[in-house]
Amino acid sequence: MAEDRSYSPSREFVEHANVKGMEGYRALYKRALEQPAEFWGELADKELFWFEKWSKAFEWNPPFVKWFVGGKTNVSYNCIDRHLATHRKNKVAILWEGEPGDQRMITYQELYRLVARFANVLKSRGLKIGDRAVIYMPMIPELPVAMLACARLGIIHSVVFGGFSAEALKARIQDLEAQVVITADGGWRRGKEVKLKPAVDEALPECPTVRDVIVYRRTGSPLEMKAGRDLWWHELDETAAETCDAVPLDSEAPLYVLYTSGTTGKPKGIVHTTGGYLLQATMTMKWVFDLHDEDTYWCTADIGWVTGHSYIVYGPLSAGATTVMYEGAPDCPQPDRFWRLIEKYRVNILYTSPTAIRSFVRQGDQWPNAHDLSSLRLLGSVGEPINPAAWEWYHKTIGKERCPIVDTWWQTETGAIMISPIPGAVPAKPGSATLPLPGILPEVVDLNGKPVEPNCEGLLVIQRPWPSMLRTIWRDPQRYEDQYWRRIPGNYLTGDAARRDADGYLWVLGRVDDVMNISGHRLSTMELESALVRHPAVAEAAVVGKPHEITGQAMVCFVTLKEGKWDTEQLAQDLRLWVAHEIGSFAKPEQIRFSEALPKTRSGKIMRRLLREIVTSNTVVGDVTTLEDLSVVTRLSAQTDDE
Ligand code: WT7
């Protein structure tokens, strides 16, 4: 890593910035460190609307925290209603483009109308505070409309990414005991319809809690509507009233549950609440994205992931931004779609992933170079470590060496960005997420919780609670405690390894647990292995990540088969589709490798570390004395990669 290189923002950028220079950053950080209650309390008063004021900024009973205790507010009100009395009333809130090229520009006033109507629809179906809605939709404006309508009434939403399969959808509906599913016929991706409603039909027979399925018509393709269960959005919406008051909700009322992969076979329902979450989402828009009222801001994530929740919907709308939303693939109809959109809408701030950046590098500079990208003033990256070469390309070819880059480290659990340069203040070093944001206390520790020396690797932990922190795992507080707080008592365990350099800059190195990161999407090895062993031919499976040029990691599955005669070539193909069917289309294994046995410790634990070494280097080093069957390792490592 080219650690010696450091990039400071231009004088013009600093002059215009929300936080100016290192002194600006240091002053904020110091205040938050020394007086956290006052720091966050003042921001909560200034930046959010409260129906009833809170009495205490936070209450920390490790590992459980409450923020803005006793306060009453509403996320939907903060994202919409409060802007209507300002110059933002007719400002574009959501600037949307569908993959086929259709456009919608929804002002804050119009967003109010759409959300109020749909909230009235939900009310008319008998939904109330604390009920759960699963939202399974393409990237169309009705997705944030549904989220904001739920938030308006205190209905807890759980968005399931459209790339998840019927199986994954079913597991989430069941775990939440949802009363309603909000979906669409389908959406557009690479010129083809991605159907959603059939997956809902497949999931629902085993989901007895669901009373209603509300279906938005996007693609218009024919589908089956089940009488007594399925309802058309447009039919319900037609008669809905145009106003609907936001319900004053407790600051700690759950806003949403978002499932993410952990180290077991069962996804974790990460619970985010109201006041603290919204405050930190709002503040990071201003600090990290240096948001100004005149900006057109585009985060290219899918709303099915936390990035889309915090940085397409809640953060930008609360901050009164114009947030761009694009339905389809980056290479449709050609590899320059992103650059066309930036030129067309004069986008000022672009937030995307290292995987996307690396695939742009591969497609060639002619695609961005054919477009006027001069509107851009700030670039962001999220999801995985960005390699310095991709960083440099982003800086030169997209930013024309003019735009600061914010490499933002955070997680589904953290709710908001935690470690990132503040662009007008903190000089960037390619590959480093740099310094923690105000109020965030990261540390790099050894297995005993002792801080390690500069430049030494260790576990990344967070030492204090923060407003947008997850509150628990849905209906499993024990797992919440065990997973995040037990290993290093009193500290939040991120699951990432990191090191801090002599300047205090943090370098996040990747996961230390059995979680893979493919294209910035989190996948659990255990979850994938349980999917594989559900296949009738599979006896045992072990899944590991292998470094991949574009997607960061790629999935390699080691599989032992049950007795019988198998056509392994056909079976490898079947198993790849099987995993996609069990988890989702984005989770296709790159390789299936068959083996007679898997390397195990004496106690029977599969040695994934060893398999990782095999796929990474095709040789095995390190300690193998606890191995049951060494010959297995030899045979596996002798296999070549292209089978
Ligand atoms: C994991 C969280 C947060 C939104 C998207 C992913 C990795 C994320 C960075 C970064 C290095 C990063 C970490 C983290 N990660 N951003 N800037 N540098 N690593 O959310 O699915 O909850 O995954 O993504 O490993 O733990 P997620």
Side-chain angles (χ1 to χ4, degrees), residues 160 223 231 249 337 510:
V160 177
L223 55 80
L231 305 153
L249 296 169
R337 188 62 181 269

Coordinates of all heavy atoms in Angstrom, one line a residue, residues 160 223 231 249 337 510:
V160 N -36.4 -6.4 1.9 CA -35.6 -7.6 1.5 C -35.1 -7.3 0.1 O -35.9 -7.0 -0.8 CB -36.4 -8.8 1.5 CG1 -35.7 -10.0 1.0 CG2 -36.9 -9.1 2.9
L223 N -49.7 -11.5 -14.2 CA -49.4 -12.3 -13.0 C -50.7 -12.7 -12.4 O -51.7 -12.2 -12.7 CB -48.5 -11.5 -12.1 CG -48.9 -10.1 -11.6 CD1 -49.9 -10.2 -10.5 CD2 -47.6 -9.4 -11.1
L231 N -53.6 -7.6 -3.3 CA -54.3 -6.3 -3.6 C -53.4 -5.5 -4.5 O -52.2 -5.4 -4.3 CB -54.6 -5.6 -2.3 CG -55.3 -6.3 -1.2 CD1 -55.0 -5.8 0.2 CD2 -56.8 -6.2 -1.5
L249 N -43.7 9.2 17.8 CA -43.2 7.9 18.3 C -42.0 8.1 19.2 O -41.3 9.1 19.2 CB -42.7 7.1 17.1 CG -43.7 6.8 16.0 CD1 -43.0 6.2 14.8 CD2 -44.7 5.7 16.5
R337 N -23.6 4.0 -18.6 CA -24.8 4.5 -18.0 C -24.6 5.5 -16.8 O -25.3 6.5 -16.8 CB -25.7 3.4 -17.6 CG -27.1 3.8 -17.2 CD -27.9 4.4 -18.4 NE -29.2 4.8 -18.0 CZ -30.3 4.1 -18.2 NH1 -30.2 2.9 -18.7 NH2 -31.5 4.6 -17.9
G510 N -10.3 -6.3 6.6 CA -11.3 -7.3 6.2 C -11.7 -8.1 7.4 O -11.3 -7.8 8.5

